[in-house]
Amino acid sequence: MTADRYARQVIHWGEENQQKIADAVIMIAGVGGLGATVSQLLVRAGVGKLYLVDDGIVDWPDLNRQLLYGEGDIDRQKLPLAKERLSAINSTTEISLIGGQVDKNFVMPTDLNAVADCLDNYSSRFLLDELTPEGVFLVHGGLEGDHGQVLTLQAGQSQPMSEIFAGACQPEGSIPVTPDNVVVIAGLMVNELFAILFGRPKLLNRCLVVSLADFHMAFLDV
Amino acid sequence: MIKVQFFSLLRMLLKQERIELSAIEGETVAQLLARLQKQLPTPFLHKLLDDDGRMHAGTIILVNRHNIHHLQGLQTPLNDNDVVAMFPPGAGG
């Protein structure tokens, strides 16, 4: 029964919070490693509407961690594939596609509850943060090798991301990313997105630093 | 005291999360780093600074939550009870 779709999670967080998820509008910036999993978890949980932003095509090095795509998708555009796969999981989520990059000409939707920063470079992240409408929460995720971080900012209230991460490195060439770390960081991002929708963010101005190398987590206040 | 926190790869390299040092009046971040290096058994300054003492891209240094890029850089003065955090964030996604 479709009515039973959310039965197991409603036992945990209740009907009122399930309704908050159903009413939520979230933008996923980047539908690669983090974005493919973040969007899938949100759709499975019953989020009302997603905006997906990306301009990439599926390539072989994506397949180790970008869970919405497979071998038959090589050289195809990610966004229509993502919409097809996500809609097959849950047809009740409205999905809007925004092709293109986050650049200075990017126009943010105006009906957002939250933004998920699933991008893979700091210059685009800084722009995304700058463009996020006042009061809207942005959940940042980033990772490299065995390490990663999740941080929530609220536009107009938090320090700009460009100030917090000034001097952060954008390595030349490919960044090491593994499927396990991507899923861990994406899962933490979604947990934080739920917390925001439920009115109690846990990582507002507080970066959760995760190391899979020794299963260590620590908070860095910003 | 000045509290110094190490995150991610720096924590792994140094095998410790934090250290407290007595505050020295007028000390800058650069001077604190040099003092830290004398105190810690593992070489780490090369991860932060080049041969001319300028910061590499990669690790951010926050003093009381503010990136030193927006303060006075390595010449940012420190005071008693300051919290200095060093963190090389991941860039991938």
Side-chain angles (χ1 to χ4, degrees):
Chain A
M1 295 284 290
T2 56
D4 294 334
R5 182 197 292 266
Y6 307 120
R8 302 295 287 270
Q9 64 199 38
V10 168
I11 298 170
H12 174 60
W13 56 46
E15 290 285 358
E16 189 180 336
N17 282 334
Q18 185 62 42
Q19 190 57 48
K20 289 175 181 171
I21 292 173
D23 294 338
V25 181
I26 296 176
M27 189 175 94
I28 312 291
V31 191
L34 291 173
T37 296
V38 168
S39 59
Q40 184 178 163
L41 297 184
L42 290 173
V43 161
R44 287 187 182 278
V47 72
K49 181 175 180 180
L50 285 185
Y51 289 96
L52 305 180
V53 184
D54 206 298
D55 70 345
I57 59 169
V58 180
D59 196 5
W60 285 102
D62 300 335
L63 298 189
N64 78 322
R65 68 195 184 283
Q66 302 191 15
L67 302 190
L68 290 174
Y69 318 117
E71 292 181 3
D73 301 325
I74 296 297
D75 291 333
R76 295 177 65 190
Q77 281 193 313
K78 288 181 182 176
L79 277 196
L81 288 167
K83 182 173 182 174
E84 179 189 312
R85 307 279 152 76
L86 294 170
S87 296
I89 292 166
N90 189 343
S91 60
T92 68
T93 299
E94 182 183 345
I95 297 175
S96 278
L97 305 182
I98 305 177
Q101 296 186 337
V102 177
D103 57 22
K104 61 185 178 187
N105 298 317
F106 185 79
V107 179
M108 292 285 276
T110 55
D111 56 346
L112 297 173
N113 296 103
V115 174
D117 163 17
C118 301
L119 297 167
D120 62 0
N121 69 90
Y122 275 104
S123 57
S124 295
R125 285 180 168 118
F126 294 166
L127 260 175
L128 180 71
D129 177 55
E130 197 177 299
L131 294 169
T132 299
E134 186 148 333
V136 173
F137 291 95
L138 181 150
V139 177
H140 155 80
L143 68 150
E144 203 163 324
D146 275 334
H147 305 273
Q149 73 276 343
V150 181
L151 165 67
T152 298
L153 301 174
Q154 188 177 25
Q157 185 266 354
S158 302
Q159 292 190 69
M161 196 193 295
S162 60
E163 291 192 11
I164 296 166
F165 287 128
C169 188
Q170 191 61 43
E172 289 181 17
S174 299
I175 298 170
V177 275
T178 60
D180 49 342
N181 202 10
V182 167
V183 173
V184 167
I185 297 299
L188 292 167
M189 291 177 74
V190 173
N191 182 276
E192 176 66 356
L193 285 163
F194 291 150
I196 287 167
L197 298 178
F198 301 161
R200 42 176 193 271
K202 293 174 279 191
L203 296 176
L204 181 58
N205 304 322
R206 176 161 248 215
C207 191
L208 177 64
V209 182
V210 179
S211 295
L212 292 187
D214 57 354
F215 288 150
H216 183 277
M217 290 190 183
F219 292 113
L220 168 60
D221 292 320
V222 298
Chain B
M1 301 296 283
I2 292 177
K3 293 178 185 169
V4 184
Q5 303 169 322
F6 308 110
F7 291 89
S8 188
L9 289 167
L10 271 178
R11 176 185 63 81
M12 301 282 294
L13 175 71
L14 296 171
K15 297 182 176 61
Q16 61 189 94
E17 285 183 65
R18 60 181 67 88
I19 187 170
E20 292 198 5
L21 299 176
S22 55
I24 297 175
E25 194 175 340
E27 187 175 48
T28 64
V29 170
Q31 290 165 332
L32 177 85
L33 290 176
R35 187 153 63 106
L36 267 175
Q37 185 59 93
K38 283 182 188 163
Q39 194 155 331
L40 296 171
T42 308
F44 76 99
L45 268 188
H46 64 288
K47 298 281 185 188
L48 303 177
L49 309 176
D50 64 20
D51 292 341
D52 297 324
R54 290 177 299 215
M55 278 189 73
H56 292 306
T59 299
I60 61 172
I61 301 178
L62 307 181
V63 174
N64 303 330
R65 301 180 172 209
H66 294 281
N67 193 313
I68 63 170
H69 271 269
H70 297 281
L71 300 171
Q72 295 172 52
L74 291 168
Q75 299 312 308
T76 300
L78 296 169
N79 297 296
D80 199 18
N81 297 319
D82 279 353
V83 177
V84 179
M86 301 180 207
F87 173 42

